[in-house]
Amino acid sequence: MYGEYELIVATKEPWRLGLGIGAYKALVATGREAFVKLREAAGAYGELLDLLKAHKWIYIKLATDDGFRAAAKQNKKSITVAGVVMHLELVSGRGGSLVAKYFTRNLGKALAAADKLKAAGLRPNIVKSGPNYVVYIATADLLRLAERDGEIRRAIALYLAEKAKDGTPRQREIAEKILRRRPFSIFQCLSASSRSEPRRSASSAGGYGIEA
DNA sequence: GGAAAGACGTATCTAGTGGC
DNA sequence: GCCACTAGATACGTCTTTCC
């Protein structure tokens, strides 16, 4: 697939940038290298594109960053609590609430997960749901956890923001209600996490185009 | 195709609050 | 203090999606 992509820049002096193709175009890179060049060229703009979650930028990162690709594959709105990977879920009761759940068909695993969560000072519940056992922590515990853990706070904020934007009408209603009710700010969470990262040197991303 | 995991909806319980 | 009402939380079933 990578061979199908070419990074071509239009310029008055194409020979300075790469292989000249036509009077004003330079072929800078092909295949995977085209994505790598694009990513390098983005420089500081990359941070902005990260925050904006621009889908074309995400495609570039998926093509150039193995770790990001693995994380994206694994990431299903899940959080890790006391070593237990749980996924977030909006529950549409009368008011609507947010819970973190761990699914398993193995009762022993469910009990073990609940023990870990208890050891972390939480109050897990185990319910049978069809053939599954569901270990979950309720909204109150989840929010207490979020106060202590920035990563979990960020995951919850992103999840709620995503549901408020792209969820079903009912999910949007619940997500917006929770966001109004709780002192969550997606922007606080994002800016807090971006502040903790080292600054990158700035460079221009202008002038590049990509052709498939 | 089947098992496991994930998503969603409904019913019910519980706690808080206001009116009397 | 009691009752009614409301909102939030929990319980649980079912359907869908994903993965082997």
Side-chain angles (χ1 to χ4, degrees):
Chain A
M1 127 187 190
Y2 288 125
E4 297 172 18
Y5 294 91
E6 294 175 346
L7 181 58
I8 296 169
V9 176
T11 173
K12 284 183 178 176
E13 298 177 327
W15 58 89
R16 289 179 186 276
L17 291 175
L19 191 63
I21 50 167
Y24 298 106
K25 286 183 178 177
L27 178 61
V28 176
T30 61
R32 183 187 169 111
E33 196 195 350
F35 290 90
V36 174
K37 292 267 185 187
L38 272 177
R39 194 173 175 187
E40 286 170 2
Y45 286 101
E47 284 192 44
L48 178 61
L49 292 167
D50 273 339
L51 294 179
L52 292 172
K53 296 194 179 304
H55 65 276
K56 287 177 183 171
W57 176 244
I58 288 168
Y59 294 149
I60 291 168
K61 287 182 74 177
L62 285 170
T64 57
D65 187 333
D66 293 339
F68 182 80
R69 192 163 54 247
K73 196 174 175 182
Q74 196 179 23
N75 177 29
K76 290 195 173 176
K77 292 160 272 182
S78 56
I79 56 175
T80 304
V81 184
V84 181
V85 178
M86 307 181 86
H87 75 273
L88 298 169
E89 186 177 329
L90 283 175
V91 180
S92 134
R94 254 177 98 160
S97 50
L98 176 70
V99 297
K101 290 181 173 181
Y102 166 68
F103 282 84
T104 178
R105 290 208 172 190
N106 184 321
L107 178 60
K109 280 187 182 177
L111 290 169
D115 283 345
K116 283 184 188 175
L117 294 170
K118 273 184 198 164
L122 301 165
R123 294 164 297 175
N125 305 284
I126 302 178
V127 295
K128 188 95 169 67
S129 178
N132 302 308
Y133 291 94
V134 182
V135 183
Y136 71 88
I137 48 179
T139 309
D141 270 4
L142 199 51
L143 294 174
R144 266 198 305 135
L145 204 57
E147 284 171 13
R148 299 203 302 253
D149 189 321
E151 276 304 304
I152 290 173
R153 185 165 61 243
R154 186 163 180 266
I156 292 172
L158 282 170
Y159 175 75
L160 289 175
E162 184 193 317
K163 289 295 177 187
K165 182 168 169 277
D166 296 325
T168 63
R170 182 65 181 138
Q171 286 179 332
R172 282 205 295 268
E173 188 185 325
I174 296 168
E176 282 166 7
K177 198 181 279 187
I178 293 171
L179 285 168
R180 269 200 304 274
R181 227 167 39 223
R182 313 289 174 182
F184 266 123
S185 163
I186 182 71
F187 300 108
Q188 277 173 9
C189 294
L190 290 174
S191 61
S193 65
S194 66
R195 266 199 305 273
S196 63
E197 288 172 6
R199 290 175 64 121
R200 296 185 193 130
S201 62
S203 67
S204 169
Y208 284 95
I210 188 162
E211 292 177 11

